[in-house]
Amino acid sequence: MAVSISAVVLLGIVVFVLIRGGSVRLLPALACALFGFFLASTGAAPLITDAIGTVTGWISSI
């Protein structure tokens, strides 16, 4: 749970910086956020969560 909250905060900061810097416009960022929201309700969500957990496990073991 703590990893997912940290990932959300980190990705939120990245998106904010990209929008403020002009690299990403607001509507494409909103479309990506909506895509992620709907992706979370599909059958792919557990696979993605497990993959992120595996990667963070590898990183924490270094």
Side-chain angles (χ1 to χ4, degrees):
M1 181 68 177
V3 172
S4 63
I5 292 173
S6 299
V8 168
V9 171
L10 177 64
L11 291 173
I13 291 170
V14 169
V15 169
F16 178 77
V17 168
L18 288 174
I19 290 173
R20 292 284 294 167
S23 298
V24 177
R25 299 280 184 219
L26 183 60
L27 289 178
L30 183 60
C32 289
L34 289 173
F35 172 72
F37 178 76
F38 287 115
L39 181 65
S41 64
T42 66
L47 178 66
I48 294 169
T49 302
D50 291 342
I52 291 172
T54 302
V55 169
T56 55
W58 288 342
I59 292 172
S60 66
S61 67
I62 294 177

